[in-house]
Every structure is written in structure tokens, then in C-alpha cells.
Amino acid sequence: MTARITRRTPAAKSRLAAAGAIAVAGALLVTGCGDQTKDNSNGSGNSDTASSSAAPLAGKLPQAIRDKGVVKVGSDIAYAPVEFKDASGKTVGIDPDLADALGKQLGVTFEFETGTFDTLITGLRSKRYDVAMSAMTDTKDRQEGVDSETGKKVGEGVDFVDYFTAGVSIYTKKGDDQGIKTWSDLCGKKIVLQRGTVSEDLAKAEAEKCPAGRKLSIESFDNDQQAQTRLRAGGADAGSSDFPVAAYAVKTSGGGKDFELVGEQVEAAPYGIAVAKTNTELRDALKAALDAVIENGEYQKIMDKWGVAEGAVDEAVINGGK
């Protein structure tokens, strides 16, 4: 849900994204289901995936997860093309496809459960989820459990297994960019975005720079699709989200007639699978599985399928965010 540039704003979620055109298959942009709803329809539950006997890396998982055969994933499933519901209600996208590939290596099913983005780490801490996988930007603040706005310690932090690189973009109604090309052009305008994201951090930082009489107004929503709806209806001048999400909205909303990207993406940074600090065995198993799917070519097929190959990584990295 966003678009970006040079400064690194540590905490927000950045669902960010890779440079380059995004040629995504024409799945419809569909709103995510209700908060905190379990979803088993991401296609990862086939017998081959769930069978640890056929999985080369099953032995690396914690025994408790091997016994139940499921990795519970917290995700904001309203962020096409990273994770979203298709027209049939099935959870699809980059993250679910990658989870399927990881599941085949580990002999488990990745079971997606939807929640608002800014509650996912809390759900991870409370053990509602085993991992959070939701276009979440790996940042030092998140690793250390620091609130990016106050600088105060709010939790024990999480570890990340980084699997993609993305940046943030700005988009406007098509044919009505109002001269917006950079973040500094937003002074005197109104921007809509998703709460808890890098887009929100960038907007707040920019608002502090705007001169008197040219205030930047920010309206934040629980999910990116709500922000898109607001902009589409004329309730704002611009929106911001991670590049792949913004590019997908531009391509699909209104058959490509609703929005346009403006300026360059910024704040390129890694997406990571978040894991509790205490669960190093699961973290290391995920890293091994990701390296395996990169090596066997499944990872590249997924990147190509969703048109995001320029955000692909060459290897899994633990806590690579800065």
C-alpha cells in the first residue's frame, strides 16, 4: 500500500517495491476479508506440501510445528499483488505463492489469517501467529522493538528473513496529477494512505517541512484499498503505497483508467518474514527453505508471474534492514 525515495524512515511497514514495470496478470483488485479471519484457501494445503516425508528441510523446523503441520501466518490480505483475495475469495499473490514453495521444502502448510497491518507484530508477540508475512519492511526499529515516532522501546522486537526489495510510490487520479512529482510537491495537498506504513512515516516527515499556509493533510486508513476508494471518489489529491501495490492499482483499477503513478519510487528496502526473537529455529528453517527455492528456480518463477522480478533477491538474509 505505497511509493518512495531516499531518506530511510525506520519503522513503518513499507510494503515497498522494486523499480521497473509491473506486468501483473489481470486478477481483479478485490477488498480483503474481515479483520482476524482465518483463511485456508491460499493453495498451500495439498497433500504433497503437508507431507513432511517428501520435504527435504522438514527436520529443520521446531518439533511443535512439525507435529501440527501448519505455520500460522498473520497477514493484511488486502494488498494486491503481494497478498489479496481474487474474485473467487481465494488468497493469492506473491506472498501466498512463496509460502506454498516454502511449505513444499518444509513439509507444512502455511495458513494465512488476515488482520490489520499495524496489529501483526502484536499478534506475533502474543503467539496468535507463528510468522507475519505481509509485505512488511525489515527495519532496525522493528528488529529492536522501538516505536519509530517516539523512539521508545515497546517490545522485544522481531527477527526478519528478507525475501524481496521494494520502494514507495505516489499516485494520483489519472490525468489530474496537479503538478505532483516529488514528496515536497504535496505541501498544500491531501494524501491518503494505509496506517502504520512507510508511506505514513514519509508523509508525516514531509508535513513537518511544509511552510505555513501550505499544510499537508494526511488521512490514514486500515488498509490500502480504503485509501484508493477515497482518492477515486475525489476525497484527496494523491495516494501512496509500496511500488508494486501502487503499480498494480494503476494497472487494474477501473481497467487502468482511475490512477497514474507520479515521480520516482523512494525508500527502497527489504520485505521480511517476521519471526519472534525467541523462535530462532523457525527463523533459520525459513531461511534455509527460501535459499532452496531461490536455488531451484521456484522463487524466480513467482517473481516473473507477478511482474516483480526487479525486486528479486539472490539469497535469504536475516535482519538485513537498516
Side-chain angles (χ1 to χ4, degrees), residues 21-281:
I22 187 168
V24 186
L28 295 176
L29 197 60
V30 183
T31 55
C33 64
D35 184 31
Q36 305 299 338
T37 301
K38 182 182 288 188
D39 174 50
N40 299 320
S41 60
N42 65 318
S44 59
N46 60 65
S47 58
D48 287 340
T49 300
S51 171
S52 60
S53 62
L57 299 177
K60 290 185 174 292
L61 284 170
Q63 189 63 49
I65 289 180
R66 293 178 65 189
D67 290 345
K68 68 182 180 180
V70 170
V71 174
K72 292 192 291 185
V73 183
S75 187
D76 180 1
I77 308 174
Y79 209 60
V82 185
E83 53 261 320
F84 65 108
K85 299 282 187 178
D86 68 10
S88 71
K90 180 181 178 181
T91 299
V92 297
I94 298 165
D95 283 356
D97 281 357
L98 186 56
D100 283 349
L102 298 177
K104 291 173 185 175
Q105 294 293 320
L106 296 168
V108 291
T109 296
F110 280 68
E111 187 177 274
F112 279 70
E113 189 171 329
T114 191
T116 53
F117 185 83
D118 56 359
T119 66
L120 296 181
I121 288 182
T122 301
L124 189 62
R125 289 175 184 147
S126 67
K127 299 185 179 179
R128 179 184 181 91
Y129 316 123
D130 297 310
V131 303
M133 189 174 186
S134 191
M136 184 177 288
T137 301
D138 173 3
T139 68
K140 285 295 183 185
D141 279 355
R142 285 193 174 124
Q143 293 170 25
E144 297 170 1
V146 172
D147 183 287
S148 61
E149 291 191 28
T150 66
K152 294 181 178 179
K153 184 87 169 174
V154 294
E156 70 275 19
V158 296
D159 284 336
F160 287 96
V161 180
D162 298 339
Y163 64 96
F164 188 73
T165 301
V168 178
S169 297
I170 300 170
Y171 60 98
T172 65
K173 293 187 73 173
K174 192 162 189 176
D176 188 22
D177 67 13
Q178 300 181 65
I180 299 170
K181 299 298 181 186
T182 69
W183 284 84
S184 61
D185 295 329
L186 291 169
C187 292
K189 311 288 187 183
K190 181 177 181 179
I191 190 168
V192 289
L193 39 77
Q194 183 178 7
R195 188 176 295 108
T197 64
V198 168
S199 289
E200 187 178 47
D201 277 1
L202 287 170
K204 287 179 177 179
E206 195 60 49
E208 294 179 358
K209 303 175 187 176
C210 291
R214 296 190 64 224
K215 177 183 176 182
L216 168 56
S217 177
I218 303 167
E219 188 171 6
S220 303
F221 294 86
D222 285 343
N223 65 60
D224 199 63
Q225 292 170 0
Q226 292 170 347
Q228 291 176 25
T229 297
R230 182 72 161 162
L231 179 60
R232 193 182 297 113
D237 302 298
S240 177
S241 57
D242 292 355
F243 171 78
V245 177
Y248 187 84
V250 167
K251 181 180 179 65
T252 61
S253 182
K257 297 179 181 179
D258 288 344
F259 304 128
E260 64 179 275
L261 289 171
V262 296
E264 300 294 328
Q265 60 173 313
V266 303
E267 294 288 312
Y271 283 172
I273 304 171
V275 187
K277 286 283 188 186
T278 56
N279 207 345
T280 56
E281 192 175 4

